[in-house]
Amino acid sequence: MTSEFAVELRDVVKRFVTPEGNEIAAVDHVTMQIKNGEFFSMLGSSGCGKTTSLRMIAGFEWTTEGEVYIEGNPMGHTPPFQRKVNTVFQSYALFQHMTVFQNIAFGLEMEGAKEDEIKQRVGRALEMVQLTGMERRKPKQLSGGQQQRVAVARALVKTPDVLLLDEPLGALDLKLRKEMQLELKALQQQLGITFIYVTHDQEEALTMSDRIAVMSNGRVQQIGTPVEIYERPSNKFVADFIGESNFLDGQIKSLSKDEAQVFIPALNTELRGIPISQGLVKGEDVVVSIRPEKIRITEKNAKNDNFFKAKVTNTVYIGADTHVYTESQGVKIKVLEQNHISRLDTSSFYTVGQEVGLVLMPENTLVLKKV
Amino acid sequence: MNPFKRSPFVIISTVLVYIFLYAPIVVLVLYSFNSSRVNITFEGFIPTFSERVVMDGSTVVSSPCGPFHWFCDLSKNREVMSAAKNTLTIAFIATIVSTIIGTMAAIALQRYDFRLKSFSQLSLYVPIVIPEIVMGIGILTLISQVFGWVNTTFALSGDARLSMGLFTVTISHIAFMVPFVTLVVQARLQGFDKSFEEAAMDLGANEWTTFRRVTFPMILPGVLSGALLAFTLSLDDFVITFFTNGPGSTTLPIYVYGLLRRIITPQVNALSTVWILIVFTVVLLLQIVQSREQSKS
Ligand SMILES: Nc1ncnc2c1ncn2[C@@H]1O[C@H](COP(=O)(O)OP(=O)(O)O)[C@@H](O)[C@H]1O
Ligand SMILES: [Mg+2]
């Protein structure tokens, strides 16, 4: 391996002309560095440019600006059949007129492999995806999950440096999807090759990835590990997109080296000791973000820092957790309590209209730039 | 349950439609076994096999071919045999060439964006919708102008002179068959997902291998339907052939037309019966190809 990065996108732009004649930037100045052996996900809602980014790596599209590097080599207009990456398509794109064996053997034939070698390698690939014995079937005779495995085997049999997967589990039902998530992850760890995985399902991305690029409107919002993305979202979009967050508008009252006091006008409260990221100045308007599970419900008259009173407006019991919806001076705040104790005893529920106190743990509170 | 299914109206009209469509064909086939030499009246089948053709007035009493007398008669007719040979030669060559051109056109229209694309698409319908006679006259005018110019410019004489014949019939058949092939193949390509081709290239196949191993096998049923349609169109084309044929390139439809103007013997019926059999076979093949295609998807 010649480069530290398996794949690198440097300031890549892709513009399309829509049928109406407008020019849109499907991918807008994207820079990503994907390390060797990494499970890297692109996460974002539909239309944010994930597929287009992946297709530029595969070679199905060329960049309008910027450059894609594979193993340190600029790709330019290199055609797909000369790139050492393989793709698992969302629609699987299995060749309907060929058997499972012929589908998987296709890529090896293109390499000019000998018949014996092809047989052996196809056999091993089928074993890997647990489809031994299905060689003679046509794709139409397989279930969705089996077709998906054939698509994975067909790409992996080529022993690519990088495997590209475009929402490969999108067509499967929930249970099968969860199983396949774990299987794909195990396969990736076992083979040690780089996976670039496109999904719009945040849970899937959090479950499988070493690192995630959160995308929106053709731009990268944040790249980080699942923990970083969840616990330290770099902006309001990411905080909102990944999991749930309560947002409070505020203003920085004072700043120390690594902490800030933020005044929340709507609650007429000052939040103290909130850890800050770089680039904030005193007096700046900011957004305070806090996850529902990181708020504690206490007595309405407790004496605490970062405390304020609220009124319960609704509670929803959903097995493992209870969602408690509260309101404080017109600001809605959602709290998530784990059901450590049985709620069979109804007295442990909050009643609608009940006055409670809310405590925001400063270490779990984030100050974000207002965007 | 569909209330129309068993309504007498539906049953009666269905029967009427079939009678209307098939009665002439049945009569035609029946008359090809007619013992009368005149095609107007049916006098019963030619009865027995015997060594000689026995004529009793205007009636064939017996023949070595038995009821198939007119078919035997036909096979000895050298003009018919040569017309049949011409027809098939033209149909085969024109089908192969128009299928290749039509398929390439369909793929190009599907895959590429170019100037005048919608114009090209629209121009495919023109040969289909304009009256065939207009197209026939058009082709005739064009060819005779071009041939006349070539003959005078290069001072060609005798056998070297360009004139109407098998070649002109074949190219004019190709010209009117291409749009049909293109439209049939296009219908097949409509739902063609380009990710199949991308997958092939992703696995290391270049453009040509991708076409040969993936695209072509997948559109093959459409190409075959187009080819069979073109073949049947060529077999029974009269109008365009009428304008573009020349000495030695008489096809069956032209020959039959000539016969009708002279005398009508059951030979014509025998010829038509054979012909119907061939066309039915082709149509049957077409059906089989299409139903296999349907059961696949
Ligand atoms: N070939 C194309 N022509 C025009 N617009 C396109 C084309 N491919 C993608 N787009 C547009 O680019 C944007 C991003 O698309 P895509 O990368 O498929 O998003 P995602 O995979 O994240 O859902 C969308 O607005 C889409 O409509
Ligand atoms: Mg997509």
Side-chain angles (χ1 to χ4, degrees), chain B residues 73-144:
Chain B
D73 215 29
L74 192 69
S75 68
K76 287 182 210 124
N77 184 333
R78 289 188 34 216
E79 281 177 44
V80 170
M81 287 299 117
S82 125
K85 200 177 124 224
N86 285 343
T87 307
L88 290 176
T89 310
I90 293 164
F92 272 116
I93 296 174
T95 299
I96 290 168
V97 177
S98 65
T99 302
I100 293 171
I101 298 176
T103 303
M104 292 198 301
I107 291 173
L109 283 167
Q110 153 94 2
R111 192 171 300 179
Y112 304 112
D113 270 317
F114 49 91
R115 284 201 298 161
L116 301 180
K117 178 171 170 169
S118 47
F119 175 79
S120 312
Q121 178 68 48
L122 209 63
S123 68
L124 280 177
Y125 294 102
V126 174
I128 294 174
V129 295
I130 61 164
E132 223 184 326
I133 191 161
V134 174
M135 186 149 164
I137 293 170
I139 292 176
L140 173 68
T141 315
L142 175 72
I143 291 176
S144 49

Side-chain angles (χ1 to χ4, degrees), chain A residues 50-51 90 166-167 198:
Chain A
K50 309 178 296 287
T51 296
Q90 179 164 16
D166 189 358
E167 312 219 12
V198 160

Side-chain angles (χ1 to χ4, degrees), chain A residues 33-53:
Chain A
Q33 294 167 329
I34 296 141
K35 295 177 207 147
N36 280 308
E38 187 172 40
F39 197 119
F40 187 92
S41 291
M42 297 186 205
L43 172 65
S45 44
S46 174
C48 73
K50 309 178 296 287
T51 296
T52 307
S53 304

